[in-house]
Amino acid sequence: MCGIVGIIGREPVAARLVEALKRLEYRGYDSAGIATLEGGHLERRRAEGKLRNLAARLEREPLLGHVGIGHTRWATHGKPTENNAHPHSSVRLSVVHNGIIENFRELREELTARGHVFVSETDTEVVAHLVTDEMNAGKSPRDAVAAALPRLRGAFALGFVFEGEPDLLIAARQGAPLAVGYGEGEMFLGSDALALAPFTDSITYLEDGDWAVLTRDGVEFFDALNAPVMRARIRTQASAFLIDKGNHRHFMAKEIHEQPEVVGRTLAHYLDMSNGCVRLPFELPFDAAKLTRLTIVACGTAYYAGLVAKYWFERFARIPVEIDVASEFRYREPPLDASGLTIVVSQSGETADTLACLRYAKEQGQKTLAVVNVPTSTIAREADTMALTLAGPEIGVASTKAFTCQLSVLACLAIAIGHARGTLSLEREGELVSQLIAVPGLMAEAIKREPRIEQIATVLSKAKDVLYLGRGASFPLAMEGALKLKEISYIHAEGYAAGELKHGPIALIDENMPVIVIAPHDAVYEKTVSNMQEVAARGGRIILIADKRAADEAAIDFEAIAPMPEMEPDFAPIVYAVPAQMLAYHTAVVMGKDVDQPRNLAKSVTVE
Ligand code: M6R
């Protein structure tokens, strides 16, 4: 959830540490800090809030060391104050940490009894004191780290620098991602390759349990048993320009606008456009004809992508689908048999709960498939099969292009499995593929209607509560639309199945509450119209997302219409996601909210 970086260079590293942290700020932005070694002594600067506060502080009070570590925080233990900001230090070292040390209380008691004095409320500070304790007993920094690591329970990525050690940086990984980068006479450490992209494209990912000793001349890797190990050095494609906002005011706006292109690219990876069929770029790890059940697990927006896909898998492949949010699934011990497949969906590929579900499914003997956006992520590496979304780096905390790319991949999988099971005729498969091929163009059409969405956003920005309704595959999209609105505008919003309205939520309807209805012209459209009439009859204010034909047929006095291009309905959720995203975006902009870095959130949730 936090981002960590480290550099051993040949000149002052502070500016580059801040630059790398800037690229990790999507992971958390409650506070930031760096520590460098100057004249043999560790000096640190920390600041509450966004990275710019730290940068301003460094202008006033520069750090000049050639070796250093940095951190951007998403608070778990202790308030987001400067005192709780990383790096945490003892008399001998400074440490940065991403993750949670679960047994920090017992370690803290033990170390306090031995005379260590704690000054923060964080779990991380015990790591500083634990390693210091080992050094006080006469161990070298590397032996002290090796002795301390087995005592830590939980998930962590750690970076250490030591007093009087100008050519040493130590890193460790257990359940949270960490990469080592190679330079010319300098070495780097980062939570992901993107952080290091301005400095190097040559990377090694640590495996779980690994720790590493970095000097200016290279790196040594050790496994959890402290045995030296070799880890592959790879070239990454995370280039520096990819985190540019282009002509857009926010990353979220850029990412919404990129969708026709990245969805097109993703579909091209999975479709044989000339022959009108799906052509998966991998072998399915199971015999689709014998498959008895699909289980889909994910969190947040990725979960809603899975929920939409449930409709597709059931309809096209006639296969029962169970879906759950990962944080529930992992603890309810669901029985999974070997004839089933578990699909996990994750943009980052590092979400702790989703990863735990993947591991659980594997332990149960199931084959696993991961729909992921980061090919080098832990989930991508651990799943039997990786189905890549080609969205490119998604920086805005509110997921947009990753969602529509996930939907695109899941749609292709549903068709491919339907084909393999013989539940789709060739003709129907051809129709579905033609519909998918049309999707990027339809998304571009939807984006052109942005000025109308901006007007509607002005209305929405005055609301305290908003209801989002949809039926069929538009129901999960209604929940996704509500999530988008909540996370960046902080307006309370709920997504409901339109047919559920009369079972409770209709009591909320009054002249103050906008009701956004996602209503593509599909098989359940008439039912949705009935639900809209129920709202209208009670004085509700309906904002309709639909095409002109659907709007005309409904003959209801709508407060506003977000006009959509006409399309076949099967893959409408991919196209109708665009106005839902733009509504949330423009509402937040009108309200002056921090769109790319909404309060309390982080892009990558690597703690449970
Ligand atoms: O990286 P993941 O796709 O696994 O992340 C899952 C959720 O944390 C993520 O979708 C979250 O809900 C987004 N903030 C939604 O916009």
Side-chain angles (χ1 to χ4, degrees):
M1 259 345 246
C2 306
I4 71 175
V5 292
I7 303 179
I8 316 188
R10 297 198 177 277
E11 52 193 38
V13 292
R16 285 194 293 168
L17 286 173
V18 172
E19 187 182 353
L21 287 177
K22 182 86 212 131
R23 302 166 76 83
L24 288 177
E25 216 181 0
Y26 72 89
R27 301 174 73 92
Y29 33 80
D30 287 333
S31 65
I34 66 173
T36 71
L37 194 70
E38 294 186 33
H41 294 295
L42 286 164
E43 293 280 339
R44 69 179 169 179
R45 303 282 181 269
R46 301 180 295 170
E48 204 175 308
K50 302 259 168 77
L51 190 58
R52 59 174 173 264
N53 300 346
L54 175 68
R57 175 128 195 227
L58 283 163
E59 290 223 337
R60 295 191 305 272
E61 304 165 62
L63 286 181
L64 301 171
H66 293 193
V67 53
I69 50 177
H71 188 269
T72 181
R73 179 170 188 238
W74 186 80
T76 58
H77 293 63
K79 294 205 174 69
T81 56
E82 182 181 332
N83 191 49
N84 287 329
H86 300 218
H88 288 283
S89 300
S90 70
V91 285
R92 312 197 71 149
L93 60 92
S94 286
V95 61
V96 285
H97 167 217
N98 166 32
I100 290 179
I101 306 298
E102 286 169 5
N103 56 337
F104 82 99
R105 278 195 190 82
E106 62 194 68
L107 290 172
R108 190 170 166 136
E109 273 171 29
E110 175 191 321
L111 290 159
T112 304
R114 282 221 288 281
H116 290 262
V117 178
F118 286 80
V119 295
S120 80
E121 303 162 289
T122 65
D123 53 339
T124 306
E125 201 184 350
V126 297
V127 181
H129 287 282
L130 194 62
V131 175
T132 300
D133 204 56
E134 298 289 352
M135 289 175 74
N136 289 347
K139 293 196 176 84
S140 67
R142 68 158 71 191
D143 289 346
V145 171
L149 289 176
R151 301 210 52 205
L152 302 176
R153 278 208 315 271
F156 51 81
L158 298 164
F160 299 88
V161 281
F162 299 86
E163 285 275 321
E165 297 281 354
D167 194 23
L168 181 65
L169 215 161
I170 296 185
R173 175 203 159 132
Q174 176 62 57
L178 195 56
V180 165
Y182 302 80
E184 289 288 319
E186 50 185 10
M187 294 292 291
F188 308 94
L189 186 67
S191 290
D192 62 27
L194 202 61
L196 305 182
F199 320 131
T200 181
D201 63 355
S202 179
I203 296 283
T204 295
Y205 287 96
L206 273 70
E207 310 240 324
D208 262 353
D210 282 358
W211 59 285
V213 177
L214 287 77
T215 65
R216 281 181 183 77
D217 296 328
V219 55
E220 293 170 84
F221 295 101
F222 302 89
D223 68 11
L225 300 172
N226 298 335
V229 280
M230 300 290 285
R231 296 290 178 227
R233 183 167 163 176
I234 57 169
R235 292 248 164 241
T236 67
Q237 289 168 359
S239 61
F241 71 90
L242 282 173
I243 67 154
D244 194 71
K245 280 184 210 154
N247 293 328
H248 297 275
R249 197 167 146 196
H250 299 102
F251 282 111
M252 185 179 177
K254 178 185 174 227
E255 288 159 4
I256 289 172
H257 283 254
E258 274 175 359
Q259 289 181 106
E261 188 191 332
V262 295
V263 165
R265 192 197 305 160
T266 300
L267 287 171
H269 197 58
Y270 289 87
L271 296 179
D272 176 345
M273 307 241 184
S274 25
N275 290 305
C277 60
V278 173
R279 183 95 57 227
L280 297 181
F282 47 76
E283 288 285 318
L284 288 172
F286 50 85
D287 179 351
K290 295 200 184 122
L291 203 59
T292 54
R293 173 172 288 271
L294 278 184
T295 304
I296 305 179
V297 199
C299 300
T301 289
Y303 168 70
Y304 295 136
L307 259 184
V308 172
K310 174 181 162 79
Y311 288 81
W312 293 333
F313 282 115
E314 289 178 350
R315 194 176 308 148
F316 306 151
R318 307 300 304 149
I319 189 159
V321 178
E322 193 216 347
I323 171 151
D324 204 349
V325 287
S327 53
E328 287 301 313
F329 183 88
R330 65 180 289 190
Y331 290 115
R332 68 182 170 81
E333 297 176 28
L336 299 173
D337 62 48
S339 58
L341 168 74
T342 294
I343 298 181
V344 295
V345 187
S346 175
Q347 187 284 128
S348 61
E350 300 293 350
T351 300
D353 284 321
T354 309
L355 175 59
C357 295
L358 171 72
R359 289 175 177 166
Y360 175 82
K362 288 179 80 170
E363 277 161 26
Q364 301 285 303
Q366 282 229 322
K367 290 290 181 207
T368 56
L369 184 149
V371 178
V372 280
N373 196 40
V374 181
T376 48
S377 61
T378 313
I379 289 177
R381 282 183 280 131
E382 291 194 13
D384 294 313
T385 302
M386 168 179 77
L388 197 58
T389 50
L390 301 176
E394 189 180 64
I395 305 297
V397 165
S399 186
T400 52
K401 61 176 181 169
F403 176 67
T404 48
C405 286
Q406 286 159 354
L407 290 178
S408 305
V409 171
L410 289 163
C412 293
L413 278 172
I415 297 172
I417 295 178
H419 175 100
R421 290 167 68 79
T423 52
L424 274 181
S425 67
L426 278 182
E427 191 191 352
R428 178 74 176 131
E429 181 180 348
E431 274 168 25
L432 290 173
V433 170
S434 303
Q435 286 187 37
L436 278 177
I437 291 170
V439 159
L442 290 161
M443 294 177 96
E445 280 298 311
I447 287 173
K448 282 190 198 149
R449 278 117 170 153
E450 193 163 15
R452 182 75 196 103
I453 300 279
E454 278 186 74
Q455 291 166 351
I456 301 174
T458 314
V459 176
L460 274 192
S461 65
K462 300 191 177 77
K464 250 180 98 240
D465 307 280
V466 170
L467 211 54
Y468 245 106
L469 300 179
R471 260 183 189 265
S474 299
F475 161 45
L477 187 58
M479 291 193 279
E480 167 62 5
L483 174 66
K484 287 284 92 79
L485 202 56
K486 277 186 271 215
E487 64 181 338
I488 58 168
S489 73
Y490 317 145
I491 293 176
H492 171 234
E494 298 295 338
Y496 266 97
E500 268 292 292
L501 192 66
K502 58 177 93 53
H503 299 287
I506 201 163
L508 296 168
I509 305 285
D510 63 17
E511 63 287 357
N512 296 318
M513 177 141 88
V515 180
I516 305 174
V517 185
I518 301 175
H521 205 276
D522 57 14
V524 287
Y525 178 66
E526 283 175 15
K527 310 274 175 210
T528 311
V529 172
S530 305
N531 301 132
M532 289 193 281
Q533 267 152 355
E534 290 156 10
V535 174
R538 285 156 183 85
R541 301 160 50 193
I542 303 173
I543 294 168
L544 180 70
I545 305 180
D547 64 33
K548 183 165 180 330
R549 182 162 63 114
D552 290 348
E553 264 178 40
I556 289 174
D557 199 7
F558 297 111
E559 168 146 346
I561 298 175
M564 294 297 291
E566 286 203 13
M567 67 178 293
E568 293 294 330
D570 288 291
F571 302 112
I574 314 180
V575 181
Y576 279 61
V578 172
Q581 296 163 350
M582 292 195 302
L583 267 177
Y585 172 74
H586 286 293
T587 304
V589 169
V590 171
M591 295 172 79
K593 303 296 185 205
D594 189 343
V595 170
D596 284 331
Q597 295 182 333
R599 71 183 178 206
N600 305 337
L601 289 174
K603 181 76 182 157
S604 184
V605 185
T606 55
V607 292
E608 65 171 294

